[in-house]
Amino acid sequence: MSTFTNTYQNDDNYFSNLGRATRAFLGALLASKPYSDLAQKEVIASRTADTDTRPVRPSQRDIALLNSEANRYEHLMPNLAAELRFLASRG
């Protein structure tokens, strides 16, 4: 059984500097704004937005386009075709 003991401690060596630099770099790279700051910006943006928030109805051309795309994908991806038809029916 062997034991390794290091009694020499020097905080100014290369590896400690490299470790501190790496931690600082990763901290700066992965830093993100706190959630509360983002939430405040979202509230301010929603207050300054237009007050007219009525939904826009799709035109008949858009509905026809979705149905034609559904017909194109019926044999390849039936689930996608069903989803496109559902979206067209909501208009």
Coordinates of all heavy atoms in Angstrom, one line a residue:
M1 N 0.9 -1.2 0.0 CA 0.0 0.0 0.0 C 0.9 1.2 0.0 O 1.9 1.3 0.7 CB -0.9 0.0 1.2 CG -1.8 1.2 1.3 SD -2.6 1.3 2.9 CE -4.0 0.4 2.6
S2 N 0.6 2.2 -0.8 CA 1.4 3.4 -0.9 C 0.5 4.6 -0.7 O -0.7 4.6 -1.0 CB 2.1 3.5 -2.2 OG 1.2 3.6 -3.2
T3 N 1.1 5.7 -0.2 CA 0.4 6.9 0.1 C 1.1 8.0 -0.6 O 2.4 8.1 -0.5 CB 0.3 7.1 1.6 OG1 -0.3 6.0 2.2 CG2 -0.6 8.4 1.9
F4 N 0.4 8.9 -1.2 CA 1.0 10.1 -1.8 C 0.6 11.3 -1.0 O -0.5 11.6 -0.8 CB 0.5 10.3 -3.2 CG 1.0 11.5 -3.9 CD1 2.3 11.5 -4.4 CD2 0.2 12.6 -4.1 CE1 2.8 12.7 -5.0 CE2 0.7 13.7 -4.7 CZ 2.0 13.8 -5.2
T5 N 1.6 12.0 -0.5 CA 1.4 13.2 0.3 C 2.1 14.4 -0.4 O 3.3 14.3 -0.7 CB 1.9 13.0 1.7 OG1 1.3 11.9 2.2 CG2 1.6 14.2 2.6
N6 N 1.4 15.4 -0.5 CA 2.0 16.6 -1.1 C 1.9 17.7 -0.1 O 0.8 18.2 0.2 CB 1.3 17.0 -2.4 CG 1.9 18.2 -3.1 OD1 3.0 18.7 -2.7 ND2 1.3 18.7 -4.1
T7 N 3.0 18.1 0.5 CA 3.0 19.1 1.5 C 3.4 20.5 1.0 O 3.2 21.5 1.6 CB 4.0 18.8 2.6 OG1 5.3 18.6 2.1 CG2 3.6 17.5 3.4
Y8 N 3.8 20.5 -0.3 CA 4.2 21.8 -0.9 C 2.9 22.4 -1.5 O 2.3 21.8 -2.3 CB 5.2 21.5 -2.0 CG 5.6 22.7 -2.7 CD1 6.5 23.7 -2.1 CD2 5.2 23.0 -4.0 CE1 6.9 24.8 -2.8 CE2 5.6 24.1 -4.7 CZ 6.4 25.0 -4.1 OH 6.8 26.1 -4.8
Q9 N 2.6 23.6 -1.1 CA 1.4 24.3 -1.6 C 1.9 25.7 -2.1 O 2.4 26.5 -1.3 CB 0.4 24.5 -0.6 CG -0.3 23.2 -0.1 CD -1.4 23.4 0.9 OE1 -1.5 24.5 1.4 NE2 -2.1 22.4 1.2
N10 N 1.7 25.9 -3.4 CA 2.0 27.2 -4.0 C 0.8 27.6 -4.8 O 0.5 26.9 -5.8 CB 3.3 27.1 -4.8 CG 3.7 28.4 -5.4 OD1 3.1 29.4 -5.0 ND2 4.7 28.4 -6.1
D11 N 0.1 28.6 -4.4 CA -1.1 29.0 -5.1 C -0.8 29.8 -6.4 O -1.7 30.1 -7.1 CB -1.9 29.9 -4.2 CG -2.6 29.1 -3.1 OD1 -2.7 27.9 -3.2 OD2 -2.9 29.7 -2.0
D12 N 0.4 30.1 -6.6 CA 0.7 30.8 -7.8 C 1.4 29.9 -8.9 O 2.2 30.4 -9.7 CB 1.7 32.0 -7.5 CG 1.0 33.0 -6.6 OD1 -0.3 33.2 -6.8 OD2 1.6 33.6 -5.8
N13 N 1.2 28.7 -8.9 CA 1.8 27.8 -9.9 C 0.9 27.8 -11.2 O -0.2 28.4 -11.3 CB 2.0 26.4 -9.4 CG 0.7 25.7 -9.1 OD1 -0.4 26.1 -9.4 ND2 0.9 24.5 -8.4
Y14 N 1.4 27.2 -12.2 CA 0.8 27.2 -13.5 C -0.6 26.6 -13.5 O -1.5 27.1 -14.1 CB 1.7 26.5 -14.5 CG 1.2 26.3 -15.9 CD1 1.1 27.3 -16.7 CD2 0.7 25.1 -16.3 CE1 0.5 27.2 -18.0 CE2 0.1 24.9 -17.5 CZ 0.0 26.0 -18.4 OH -0.5 25.8 -19.6
F15 N -0.7 25.4 -12.9 CA -2.0 24.7 -12.9 C -3.1 25.4 -12.1 O -4.2 25.4 -12.5 CB -1.8 23.3 -12.4 CG -0.9 22.5 -13.3 CD1 0.4 22.1 -12.9 CD2 -1.4 22.1 -14.6 CE1 1.2 21.4 -13.8 CE2 -0.6 21.4 -15.4 CZ 0.7 21.0 -15.0
S16 N -2.8 26.1 -11.1 CA -3.8 26.8 -10.3 C -4.2 28.0 -11.2 O -5.4 28.4 -11.2 CB -3.3 27.3 -9.0 OG -2.3 28.2 -9.1
N17 N -3.3 28.7 -11.8 CA -3.6 29.8 -12.7 C -4.5 29.3 -13.9 O -5.5 30.0 -14.3 CB -2.4 30.5 -13.2 CG -1.7 31.3 -12.2 OD1 -2.3 31.7 -11.2 ND2 -0.4 31.6 -12.4
L18 N -4.1 28.2 -14.4 CA -4.9 27.6 -15.5 C -6.3 27.2 -15.1 O -7.3 27.5 -15.8 CB -4.2 26.4 -16.1 CG -4.8 25.7 -17.3 CD1 -4.8 26.6 -18.5 CD2 -4.1 24.4 -17.6
G19 N -6.4 26.7 -13.9 CA -7.7 26.3 -13.3 C -8.6 27.5 -13.1 O -9.8 27.5 -13.5
R20 N -8.0 28.6 -12.5 CA -8.8 29.8 -12.3 C -9.2 30.4 -13.7 O -10.3 30.9 -13.8 CB -8.0 30.8 -11.5 CG -8.0 30.5 -10.1 CD -7.4 31.7 -9.3 NE -6.0 31.9 -9.6 CZ -5.0 31.7 -8.9 NH1 -5.2 31.1 -7.7 NH2 -3.8 31.9 -9.3
A21 N -8.3 30.4 -14.6 CA -8.6 31.0 -16.0 C -9.7 30.2 -16.6 O -10.6 30.7 -17.3 CB -7.4 31.1 -16.8
T22 N -9.6 28.9 -16.5 CA -10.7 28.0 -17.1 C -12.0 28.2 -16.5 O -13.0 28.3 -17.2 CB -10.2 26.5 -17.0 OG1 -9.0 26.4 -17.6 CG2 -11.2 25.6 -17.7
R23 N -12.1 28.3 -15.1 CA -13.3 28.5 -14.4 C -13.9 29.9 -14.8 O -15.1 30.0 -15.0 CB -13.1 28.4 -12.9 CG -13.1 27.0 -12.4 CD -13.1 26.9 -10.9 NE -12.0 27.6 -10.3 CZ -10.9 27.1 -10.0 NH1 -10.7 25.8 -10.3 NH2 -9.9 27.8 -9.4
A24 N -13.0 30.9 -14.9 CA -13.5 32.2 -15.3 C -14.1 32.2 -16.7 O -15.1 32.8 -17.0 CB -12.4 33.3 -15.1
F25 N -13.3 31.5 -17.6 CA -13.8 31.5 -19.0 C -15.1 30.7 -19.1 O -16.1 31.2 -19.8 CB -12.7 30.8 -19.9 CG -13.1 30.6 -21.3 CD1 -13.2 31.6 -22.2 CD2 -13.5 29.3 -21.7 CE1 -13.6 31.4 -23.5 CE2 -13.9 29.1 -23.0 CZ -13.9 30.2 -23.9
L26 N -15.2 29.6 -18.5 CA -16.5 28.9 -18.5 C -17.6 29.6 -17.9 O -18.8 29.6 -18.3 CB -16.3 27.5 -17.9 CG -15.5 26.5 -18.7 CD1 -15.3 25.2 -17.9 CD2 -16.2 26.2 -20.0
G27 N -17.3 30.3 -16.8 CA -18.3 31.2 -16.1 C -18.8 32.3 -17.1 O -20.0 32.5 -17.1
A28 N -17.9 32.9 -17.8 CA -18.3 33.9 -18.7 C -19.0 33.4 -19.9 O -20.0 33.9 -20.5 CB -17.1 34.7 -19.2
L29 N -18.6 32.2 -20.4 CA -19.2 31.6 -21.5 C -20.6 31.1 -21.3 O -21.5 31.2 -22.1 CB -18.3 30.4 -22.0 CG -18.7 29.7 -23.3 CD1 -18.6 30.6 -24.5 CD2 -17.9 28.4 -23.5
L30 N -20.8 30.5 -20.1 CA -22.1 29.9 -19.8 C -23.0 30.8 -19.0 O -24.1 30.4 -18.6 CB -21.9 28.6 -19.0 CG -21.1 27.5 -19.8 CD1 -20.8 26.3 -18.9 CD2 -21.8 27.1 -21.1
A31 N -22.6 32.0 -18.8 CA -23.4 32.9 -17.9 C -24.7 33.3 -18.7 O -24.7 33.5 -19.9 CB -22.6 34.2 -17.6
S32 N -25.7 33.4 -17.9 CA -27.0 33.8 -18.5 C -27.6 34.8 -17.5 O -27.3 34.8 -16.3 CB -27.9 32.6 -18.7 OG -28.2 32.0 -17.5
K33 N -28.5 35.6 -18.0 CA -29.2 36.5 -17.2 C -30.2 35.8 -16.2 O -30.8 34.8 -16.6 CB -29.9 37.6 -18.0 CG -29.0 38.4 -18.8 CD -29.8 39.5 -19.5 CE -28.8 40.3 -20.3 NZ -29.4 41.4 -21.0
P34 N -30.3 36.3 -15.0 CA -31.3 35.7 -14.1 C -32.7 35.8 -14.6 O -33.0 36.6 -15.5 CB -31.1 36.6 -12.8 CG -29.8 37.2 -12.9 CD -29.6 37.4 -14.4
Y35 N -33.5 34.8 -14.2 CA -34.8 34.7 -14.7 C -35.7 36.0 -14.4 O -36.5 36.4 -15.3 CB -35.5 33.5 -14.1 CG -36.9 33.3 -14.6 CD1 -37.2 32.8 -15.8 CD2 -38.0 33.6 -13.8 CE1 -38.5 32.7 -16.3 CE2 -39.3 33.5 -14.2 CZ -39.5 33.0 -15.5 OH -40.8 32.9 -15.9
S36 N -35.5 36.6 -13.3 CA -36.3 37.8 -13.0 C -36.0 38.9 -13.9 O -36.9 39.6 -14.3 CB -36.0 38.2 -11.5 OG -34.6 38.6 -11.4
D37 N -34.7 39.1 -14.4 CA -34.5 40.1 -15.4 C -35.2 39.8 -16.7 O -35.7 40.7 -17.3 CB -33.0 40.2 -15.6 CG -32.2 40.8 -14.4 OD1 -32.9 41.3 -13.6 OD2 -31.0 40.7 -14.4
L38 N -35.2 38.5 -17.1 CA -35.8 38.2 -18.4 C -37.4 38.4 -18.2 O -38.0 38.8 -19.2 CB -35.5 36.7 -18.7 CG -34.1 36.4 -19.1 CD1 -33.9 35.0 -19.3 CD2 -33.7 37.2 -20.3
A39 N -37.9 38.1 -17.1 CA -39.3 38.2 -16.9 C -39.7 39.7 -16.9 O -40.8 40.0 -17.5 CB -39.8 37.6 -15.6
Q40 N -38.9 40.6 -16.3 CA -39.2 42.0 -16.4 C -39.2 42.5 -17.8 O -40.1 43.3 -18.2 CB -38.2 42.8 -15.5 CG -38.5 42.8 -14.1 CD -37.5 43.7 -13.3 OE1 -36.3 43.8 -13.8 NE2 -37.9 44.2 -12.2
K41 N -38.2 42.1 -18.6 CA -38.2 42.5 -20.0 C -39.4 42.1 -20.7 O -39.9 42.8 -21.6 CB -36.9 42.1 -20.6 CG -35.7 42.8 -20.1 CD -34.4 42.4 -20.8 CE -33.2 43.1 -20.3 NZ -32.0 42.7 -20.9
E42 N -39.8 40.9 -20.4 CA -41.0 40.3 -21.1 C -42.3 41.1 -20.8 O -43.1 41.4 -21.6 CB -41.2 38.8 -20.7 CG -42.4 38.2 -21.4 CD -42.1 37.9 -22.9 OE1 -40.9 37.8 -23.2 OE2 -43.0 37.7 -23.6
V43 N -42.4 41.5 -19.5 CA -43.6 42.3 -19.1 C -43.5 43.7 -19.8 O -44.5 44.2 -20.3 CB -43.6 42.4 -17.6 CG1 -44.6 43.5 -17.1 CG2 -43.9 41.1 -17.0
I44 N -42.3 44.3 -19.8 CA -42.2 45.6 -20.4 C -42.5 45.5 -21.9 O -43.2 46.4 -22.4 CB -40.8 46.2 -20.1 CG1 -40.6 46.5 -18.7 CG2 -40.5 47.4 -21.0 CD1 -39.2 46.8 -18.2
A45 N -42.0 44.5 -22.6 CA -42.3 44.3 -24.0 C -43.8 44.1 -24.3 O -44.3 44.6 -25.2 CB -41.5 43.2 -24.5
S46 N -44.4 43.4 -23.4 CA -45.9 43.1 -23.6 C -46.7 44.4 -23.4 O -47.7 44.6 -24.0 CB -46.4 42.0 -22.7 OG -46.3 42.4 -21.4
R47 N -46.2 45.3 -22.5 CA -47.0 46.5 -22.2 C -46.8 47.5 -23.4 O -47.7 48.2 -23.7 CB -46.5 47.2 -21.0 CG -46.9 46.5 -19.7 CD -46.4 47.2 -18.5 NE -46.7 46.4 -17.3 CZ -46.1 46.7 -16.1 NH1 -45.2 47.6 -16.0 NH2 -46.4 45.9 -15.1
T48 N -45.7 47.5 -24.0 CA -45.4 48.4 -25.1 C -46.0 47.9 -26.5 O -46.0 48.6 -27.5 CB -43.9 48.7 -25.3 OG1 -43.2 47.5 -25.5 CG2 -43.4 49.4 -24.0
A49 N -46.4 46.6 -26.5 CA -46.9 46.0 -27.8 C -48.3 46.6 -28.1 O -48.9 47.3 -27.3 CB -47.0 44.5 -27.6
D50 N -48.7 46.4 -29.3 CA -50.0 46.9 -29.8 C -51.1 46.3 -28.9 O -51.0 45.1 -28.4 CB -50.3 46.5 -31.2 CG -49.7 47.5 -32.2 OD1 -50.1 48.7 -32.0 OD2 -49.0 47.1 -33.0
T51 N -52.1 47.0 -28.6 CA -53.2 46.5 -27.8 C -54.2 45.7 -28.7 O -55.1 45.0 -28.1 CB -54.0 47.7 -27.2 OG1 -54.4 48.6 -28.2 CG2 -53.1 48.5 -26.2
D52 N -54.1 45.8 -30.0 CA -54.9 45.0 -30.9 C -54.4 43.6 -31.1 O -53.4 43.4 -31.8 CB -55.0 45.7 -32.3 CG -56.0 45.0 -33.2 OD1 -56.9 44.3 -32.6 OD2 -55.9 45.2 -34.4
T53 N -54.9 42.7 -30.3 CA -54.4 41.3 -30.3 C -55.4 40.3 -30.9 O -55.4 39.2 -30.5 CB -54.0 40.9 -28.9 OG1 -55.1 41.0 -28.1 CG2 -52.8 41.7 -28.4
R54 N -56.2 40.8 -31.8 CA -57.2 39.9 -32.4 C -56.5 38.9 -33.3 O -55.6 39.2 -34.0 CB -58.2 40.6 -33.2 CG -59.1 41.5 -32.4 CD -60.1 42.2 -33.2 NE -59.4 43.2 -34.0 CZ -59.9 43.9 -35.0 NH1 -61.1 43.7 -35.4 NH2 -59.2 44.7 -35.7
P55 N -56.9 37.6 -33.3 CA -56.3 36.6 -34.1 C -56.6 36.9 -35.6 O -57.7 37.3 -35.9 CB -56.8 35.3 -33.7 CG -58.1 35.6 -32.9 CD -57.9 37.0 -32.4
V56 N -55.7 36.6 -36.5 CA -55.9 36.7 -37.9 C -56.3 35.4 -38.5 O -55.7 34.4 -38.3 CB -54.5 37.2 -38.6 CG1 -54.7 37.3 -40.1 CG2 -54.1 38.5 -38.0
R57 N -57.4 35.4 -39.2 CA -58.0 34.2 -39.7 C -57.2 33.9 -41.0 O -57.0 34.8 -41.8 CB -59.5 34.4 -40.0 CG -60.3 34.5 -38.8 CD -61.7 34.3 -39.0 NE -62.0 33.1 -39.8 CZ -62.6 32.1 -39.3 NH1 -63.0 32.1 -38.0 NH2 -62.8 31.0 -40.0
P58 N -56.9 32.6 -41.3 CA -56.2 32.3 -42.5 C -57.2 32.4 -43.7 O -58.4 32.2 -43.6 CB -55.8 30.8 -42.3 CG -56.7 30.3 -41.2 CD -57.1 31.5 -40.4
S59 N -56.6 32.7 -44.8 CA -57.4 32.9 -46.0 C -57.8 31.5 -46.6 O -57.2 30.5 -46.2 CB -56.7 33.7 -47.1 OG -55.5 33.0 -47.5
Q60 N -58.7 31.5 -47.5 CA -59.1 30.2 -48.2 C -57.9 29.7 -49.0 O -57.7 28.4 -49.1 CB -60.2 30.5 -49.2 CG -61.5 30.8 -48.5 CD -62.0 29.7 -47.6 OE1 -61.9 28.5 -48.0 NE2 -62.7 30.0 -46.5
R61 N -57.0 30.5 -49.5 CA -55.8 30.1 -50.2 C -54.9 29.3 -49.3 O -54.3 28.3 -49.6 CB -55.1 31.3 -50.8 CG -53.9 30.9 -51.6 CD -53.3 32.2 -52.2 NE -52.1 31.9 -52.9 CZ -50.9 32.1 -52.3 NH1 -50.8 32.7 -51.2 NH2 -49.8 31.8 -53.0
D62 N -54.7 29.8 -48.0 CA -53.9 29.1 -47.1 C -54.5 27.8 -46.7 O -53.7 26.8 -46.6 CB -53.7 30.0 -45.8 CG -53.0 31.3 -46.1 OD1 -52.2 31.3 -47.0 OD2 -53.2 32.2 -45.3
I63 N -55.8 27.7 -46.5 CA -56.4 26.4 -46.2 C -56.3 25.4 -47.3 O -55.9 24.3 -47.1 CB -57.9 26.7 -45.8 CG1 -58.0 27.5 -44.5 CG2 -58.6 25.3 -45.7 CD1 -59.3 28.0 -44.2
A64 N -56.4 25.9 -48.5 CA -56.3 25.0 -49.7 C -54.8 24.6 -49.8 O -54.6 23.4 -50.2 CB -56.7 25.8 -51.0
L65 N -53.9 25.4 -49.5 CA -52.5 25.0 -49.6 C -52.2 23.9 -48.6 O -51.5 22.9 -48.9 CB -51.6 26.2 -49.3 CG -50.1 26.0 -49.4 CD1 -49.7 25.6 -50.8 CD2 -49.4 27.2 -48.9
L66 N -52.7 24.0 -47.4 CA -52.5 23.0 -46.4 C -53.1 21.7 -46.8 O -52.5 20.6 -46.6 CB -53.1 23.4 -45.0 CG -52.2 24.4 -44.2 CD1 -53.0 24.8 -43.0 CD2 -50.9 23.8 -43.8
N67 N -54.3 21.7 -47.4 CA -54.9 20.5 -47.8 C -54.2 19.9 -49.0 O -54.1 18.6 -49.1 CB -56.4 20.8 -48.2 CG -57.3 20.8 -47.0 OD1 -57.1 20.1 -46.1 ND2 -58.3 21.8 -47.1
S68 N -53.6 20.7 -49.9 CA -52.9 20.1 -51.0 C -51.6 19.5 -50.5 O -51.2 18.4 -51.0 CB -52.6 21.2 -52.1 OG -51.7 22.1 -51.6
E69 N -50.9 20.1 -49.5 CA -49.7 19.5 -48.9 C -50.1 18.2 -48.3 O -49.3 17.2 -48.3 CB -49.1 20.5 -47.9 CG -48.4 21.6 -48.6 CD -47.2 21.2 -49.4 OE1 -46.4 20.4 -48.9 OE2 -47.0 21.7 -50.5
A70 N -51.2 18.1 -47.6 CA -51.7 16.9 -47.0 C -51.9 15.8 -48.0 O -51.5 14.6 -47.7 CB -53.0 17.1 -46.2
N71 N -52.4 16.1 -49.1 CA -52.6 15.1 -50.2 C -51.3 14.6 -50.7 O -51.1 13.5 -51.1 CB -53.4 15.7 -51.3 CG -54.9 15.9 -50.9 OD1 -55.4 15.3 -50.0 ND2 -55.5 16.9 -51.6
R72 N -50.3 15.5 -50.8 CA -48.9 15.1 -51.3 C -48.3 14.1 -50.4 O -47.6 13.2 -50.8 CB -48.0 16.4 -51.4 CG -48.3 17.2 -52.6 CD -47.3 18.3 -52.7 NE -45.9 17.9 -52.7 CZ -44.9 18.7 -52.5 NH1 -45.1 20.0 -52.2 NH2 -43.7 18.3 -52.4
Y73 N -48.5 14.3 -49.1 CA -47.8 13.4 -48.1 C -48.7 12.3 -47.6 O -48.2 11.6 -46.6 CB -47.3 14.3 -46.9 CG -46.2 15.2 -47.3 CD1 -46.4 16.6 -47.4 CD2 -44.9 14.7 -47.6 CE1 -45.3 17.4 -47.8 CE2 -43.9 15.5 -48.0 CZ -44.1 16.9 -48.1 OH -43.1 17.7 -48.4
E74 N -49.8 12.1 -48.1 CA -50.7 11.0 -47.6 C -50.1 9.6 -47.7 O -50.2 8.9 -46.7 CB -52.0 11.0 -48.4 CG -53.0 10.0 -48.0 CD -53.5 10.3 -46.6 OE1 -53.7 11.4 -46.2 OE2 -53.7 9.3 -45.8
H75 N -49.4 9.3 -48.7 CA -48.8 7.9 -48.9 C -47.5 7.8 -48.1 O -47.2 6.7 -47.7 CB -48.7 7.6 -50.3 CG -50.0 7.5 -51.1 ND1 -50.9 6.6 -50.8 CD2 -50.5 8.4 -52.0 CE1 -52.0 6.8 -51.6 NE2 -51.8 7.9 -52.3
L76 N -46.8 8.9 -48.0 CA -45.4 8.8 -47.4 C -45.5 8.9 -45.9 O -44.9 8.1 -45.1 CB -44.5 9.9 -47.9 CG -44.2 9.9 -49.4 CD1 -43.5 11.2 -49.8 CD2 -43.4 8.7 -49.7
M77 N -46.3 9.9 -45.4 CA -46.4 10.2 -43.9 C -47.9 10.5 -43.6 O -48.3 11.6 -43.6 CB -45.5 11.3 -43.5 CG -44.0 11.1 -43.7 SD -43.1 12.5 -43.2 CE -42.9 13.3 -44.8
P78 N -48.7 9.4 -43.3 CA -50.1 9.7 -43.0 C -50.3 10.5 -41.8 O -51.3 11.3 -41.7 CB -50.7 8.3 -42.9 CG -49.6 7.3 -43.2 CD -48.3 8.0 -43.4
N79 N -49.4 10.4 -40.8 CA -49.6 11.2 -39.6 C -49.4 12.7 -39.9 O -50.2 13.5 -39.4 CB -48.6 10.8 -38.5 CG -48.9 9.4 -38.0 OD1 -50.0 9.0 -38.1 ND2 -47.9 8.8 -37.4
L80 N -48.4 13.0 -40.7 CA -48.2 14.4 -41.1 C -49.4 14.9 -41.9 O -49.9 16.1 -41.7 CB -47.0 14.6 -42.0 CG -46.7 15.9 -42.5 CD1 -46.5 16.9 -41.4 CD2 -45.5 15.9 -43.4
A81 N -50.0 14.1 -42.8 CA -51.1 14.5 -43.6 C -52.3 14.8 -42.7 O -53.1 15.8 -42.9 CB -51.5 13.4 -44.6
A82 N -52.5 13.9 -41.7 CA -53.6 14.2 -40.8 C -53.4 15.4 -40.0 O -54.4 16.2 -39.8 CB -53.8 13.0 -39.8
E83 N -52.2 15.7 -39.6 CA -51.9 16.9 -38.8 C -52.2 18.2 -39.7 O -52.7 19.2 -39.2 CB -50.5 16.9 -38.3 CG -50.1 18.0 -37.4 CD -50.8 17.9 -36.0 OE1 -51.1 16.8 -35.6 OE2 -51.0 19.0 -35.4
L84 N -51.8 18.1 -40.9 CA -52.0 19.3 -41.8 C -53.5 19.5 -42.1 O -53.9 20.6 -42.1 CB -51.3 19.0 -43.2 CG -49.7 19.1 -43.1 CD1 -49.1 18.7 -44.4 CD2 -49.3 20.5 -42.8
R85 N -54.2 18.4 -42.2 CA -55.7 18.6 -42.4 C -56.3 19.1 -41.1 O -57.2 19.9 -41.2 CB -56.3 17.2 -42.7 CG -56.0 16.8 -44.1 CD -56.9 15.6 -44.6 NE -56.5 15.3 -45.9 CZ -55.7 14.3 -46.2 NH1 -55.1 13.5 -45.2 NH2 -55.4 14.0 -47.4
F86 N -55.8 18.7 -40.0 CA -56.3 19.3 -38.7 C -56.1 20.8 -38.6 O -56.9 21.6 -38.2 CB -55.7 18.5 -37.5 CG -56.1 19.1 -36.2 CD1 -57.4 19.0 -35.7 CD2 -55.2 19.8 -35.5 CE1 -57.7 19.5 -34.5 CE2 -55.5 20.4 -34.2 CZ -56.8 20.2 -33.7
L87 N -54.9 21.2 -39.0 CA -54.5 22.6 -39.0 C -55.4 23.4 -40.0 O -55.8 24.5 -39.7 CB -53.1 22.8 -39.3 CG -52.1 22.4 -38.3 CD1 -50.6 22.5 -38.8 CD2 -52.2 23.2 -37.0
A88 N -55.7 22.8 -41.1 CA -56.5 23.5 -42.1 C -58.0 23.6 -41.6 O -58.7 24.6 -41.9 CB -56.5 22.7 -43.4
S89 N -58.4 22.6 -40.8 CA -59.8 22.6 -40.3 C -60.0 23.7 -39.2 O -61.1 24.1 -39.0 CB -60.2 21.2 -39.8 OG -59.5 20.9 -38.6
R90 N -58.9 24.0 -38.6 CA -59.0 25.0 -37.5 C -59.2 26.4 -38.0 O -59.6 27.3 -37.3 CB -57.8 24.9 -36.6 CG -57.7 23.7 -35.8 CD -56.6 23.6 -34.9 NE -56.7 24.7 -33.9 CZ -55.9 25.0 -33.0 NH1 -54.8 24.3 -32.9 NH2 -56.1 26.0 -32.1
G91 N -58.9 26.6 -39.3 CA -59.0 28.0 -39.9 C -60.4 28.4 -40.1 O -61.0 29.3 -39.7

